[in-house]
Amino acid sequence: MSKNPIRLPPLPRLRVRNPNKREQNPCLTIMSSVLACWASAGHTGRACNTVEDALRACMDAPKLPPKPSNTINYHLQRLSSRLIKQASKNK
């Protein structure tokens, strides 16, 4: 049996999928709790006041600064021509 390496077909683009995942909104769980409370007790009742206050506090809190975006796709695209040239030279 020969032990030749398996050759993969050339890729037209180098790409990393979803490098920038969005973070979930921290107020989303509290908001779903408010909606569930309103569905069970009605939106005019006093039973949901504590959950509503927690939602207001969460919404009024200062937002965190956004994280710098990941530039991996930009750099892969920029360097792909060099990588393809090197791969063709090595054949």
Side-chain angles (χ1 to χ4, degrees), residues 10-61:
L11 299 174
R13 283 188 202 166
L14 296 175
R15 186 153 188 95
V16 176
R17 295 187 185 260
N18 297 329
N20 302 324
K21 296 254 182 189
R22 288 188 177 182
E23 292 186 23
Q24 186 177 1
N25 187 346
C27 301
L28 189 64
T29 55
I30 300 171
M31 186 169 150
S32 64
S33 299
V34 169
L35 293 174
C37 185
W38 285 348
S40 64
H43 67 280
T44 57
R46 291 185 176 260
C48 303
N49 283 346
T50 57
V51 183
E52 290 173 7
D53 291 338
L55 179 62
R56 281 189 196 100
C58 182
M59 296 298 281
D60 292 339

Side-chain angles (χ1 to χ4, degrees), residues 66-82:
K67 291 183 180 178
S69 62
N70 191 345
T71 59
I72 186 73
N73 285 331
Y74 167 76
H75 291 295
L76 285 174
Q77 186 177 10
R78 187 173 61 87
L79 297 173
S80 65
S81 62
R82 292 182 188 172

